[in-house]
Every structure is written in structure tokens, then in C-alpha cells.
Amino acid sequence: MSLSSRSLSSRRAARRLAADAGLLVVAVAFLLPLAWVLLSAFDPHAGLRVKAPDGVTLEHFEAILTDEITFTPLLNSLLLCGGATALTVVCAALAAYPLSRYRSRLNRPFLLTILFATSLPITAIMVPVYALFVRVNLIDTMQGTIFFFAASQLPFGIWLMKNFMDGVPKELEEAAWTDGASSLQSLLRIVLPLMGPGVAVVTVFSFVMMWGNFFVPFMLLLSPDLMPASVSINDFFGNRGMVAYGQLAAFSIVYSTPVILLYVLISRRLGAGFALGGAVKG
């Protein structure tokens, strides 16, 4: 092996080592908060430090597993995020279908407008939205919050759904139209089943974004019995800097469980959808 080739291989090895070290640092930065949550949930003397528990206790879970602290806020979150996600997916599919299947001069401006809408900070529009909701009697209502959640996620949902819908061959729909199927029937029976990954991605993305949203329900909901878990988690931060770290960590684990379960359930659909789509295109 020549000297130049040895030098080149050593440089490649050094770059690979530097890249691995950078990825390791990023991984540690992400894992440390997760480690704190898992360890503090079972530590009887939990604090801000990431350390091995002084002992193992379930007192933190016993303290939070009540209707007022956990179960009612989680139920409110499921109702809000589940209803808004279903509304977002349905409206995004109906809006993306004509954008994907019919050519118009207005398609590109409309899509660019949608893309611009996704970049608007939600805090910039909350004041006029709050005033509007007061006038139409939607303030402090679950349905009003669901509508706003769906409206805020709909632009990005339409953009994603349209991109996935473009991958479904139009010839399959044309064959269905020849057999007398309507556009709605072809959408429901051909396009959506074949773009299972797209529907799954929009569903997971919308649900996760809504599930972790604190600001919207905090502004639009006033009654304590309507507050979702994303807002009620603020109750663990007491006055004068006093925080129930153990209970906060235990609540964080319970709060994250629905999102993890949703991802596990839909991940199977993702693999099946991609396999079916590839088989049809082939």
C-alpha cells in the first residue's frame, strides 16, 4: 500500500471517528433527560440531578394516579387530540385529493399559501382567535378547542397528504371510473388504502403535535375539569421554586404512554402500507 493511500485511509478513519463522537454526544444529550425521568420516578429523594435512586419506591405513582391529577386530564387530552386528529386527517384527505389529481393554475399558489401558513407562530394569532371564540361562544368548550387544533394542523396535514397521494398511480382510479365509481368512492376504496403510510404519518404527526401543546388549551379552556394533561402538568411546579420532582417524573411517564402506544400500533401499518404500495407500483 502506497503512502498516499495510507494517508487517505487514515483521514477517512479520523473523519469517521469524529462523526461517531459527534453522534455519541448528541445521543447522550437526548438520553440524559430520559434517564432523569426514569430514575427520578422511582427515587424517594428525587431531585434535579441524574443519579442512581437511593431506593426504589412507587409512592410517586401512587400519589399521581388519581382522577383529579391524572385520569381526568388524560381523558380530556384523548378527547381533544383524538377528535382533532380525526378531523385533521379527514379534511386533509379531502383537500389534498383535488390538489393531487386535478391540474390547475391555482394549485401552486394555494400550496405555497399553505406552506406559509405552517410557518406562522401560533402565539401571533391567539389574541384574535381568543376574541373570536368569545364572540361565538366557543371559549371554554371542548369542541372549540378541537376545531382550533384541527385548523392549526391542517395546513401541514394537507401538504403531507398531497405528497403521499401523488405516489398512488392514477391509472388505478381511471379503471375504477370506467367501472362507474365516483371520485369519492375511488378516494375511499383505492387511494387511501394504498397510501396507508401517508395517512399514518399525518395521524401520528398531528396527534403528537397536539398532545404536547400547552399554550392553546391554556388560553381557550378556563374550567379546571376541562384541562388536558399538557396543562395540568404545570401543577407540579409549586410556589417559590418548590417542585415535586418525583411526582413530575412519574406523571411524565404516564403522560408519554399514549403517544408511545400510538406509534407502536401505527408502525405496523407503516410497514404493511409501504409493502402494498410497492407491490401495486410494480
Side-chain angles (χ1 to χ4, degrees), residues 32-47:
L32 279 178
L34 297 178
W36 178 87
V37 170
L38 293 175
L39 295 175
S40 299
F42 301 96
D43 190 352
H45 304 98

Side-chain angles (χ1 to χ4, degrees), residues 57-239:
T57 180
L58 297 177
E59 293 179 355
H60 302 314
F61 288 94
E62 295 174 356
I64 67 165
L65 292 179
T66 62
D67 291 337
E68 181 180 0
I69 298 177
T70 299
F71 297 127
T72 299
L74 279 180
L75 179 60
N76 293 336
S77 293
L78 289 173
L79 292 176
L80 284 174
C81 301
T85 299
L87 187 60
T88 300
V89 171
V90 171
C91 293
L94 294 176
Y97 183 74
L99 293 173
S100 174
R101 288 301 185 254
Y102 301 103
R103 297 291 177 256
S104 172
R105 294 181 179 179
L106 298 178
N107 282 8
R108 181 176 175 81
F110 183 75
L111 288 173
L112 292 177
T113 303
I114 289 177
L115 186 62
F116 171 76
T118 61
S119 64
L120 289 176
I122 200 168
T123 54
I125 61 176
M126 280 309 300
V127 172
V129 167
Y130 184 88
L132 174 64
F133 274 40
V134 170
R135 286 183 174 273
V136 297
N137 294 324
L138 285 178
I139 199 71
D140 198 27
T141 62
M142 295 287 283
Q143 60 270 25
T145 310
I146 288 175
F147 289 151
F148 184 78
F149 262 148
S152 62
Q153 293 299 322
L154 193 55
F156 200 72
I158 294 174
W159 187 272
L160 280 178
M161 195 77 76
K162 191 262 181 187
N163 289 334
F164 279 103
M165 203 170 286
D166 289 341
V168 178
K170 191 176 180 179
E171 291 77 12
L172 298 176
E173 288 184 87
E174 292 174 349
W177 294 338
T178 304
D179 293 336
S182 64
S183 298
L184 181 59
Q185 289 174 331
S186 65
L187 171 65
L188 296 177
R189 298 181 181 181
I190 297 177
V191 178
L192 290 181
L194 292 180
M195 53 172 292
V199 177
V201 167
V202 175
T203 300
V204 172
F205 179 83
S206 301
F207 188 86
V208 170
M209 294 299 292
M210 298 172 191
W211 188 262
N213 194 304
F214 168 85
F215 189 67
V216 170
F218 180 75
M219 291 292 295
L220 299 182
L221 296 175
L222 307 177
S223 302
D225 56 339
L226 295 179
M227 291 296 178
S230 59
V231 177
S232 65
I233 196 173
N234 189 54
D235 296 338
F236 294 101
F237 296 89
N239 296 325

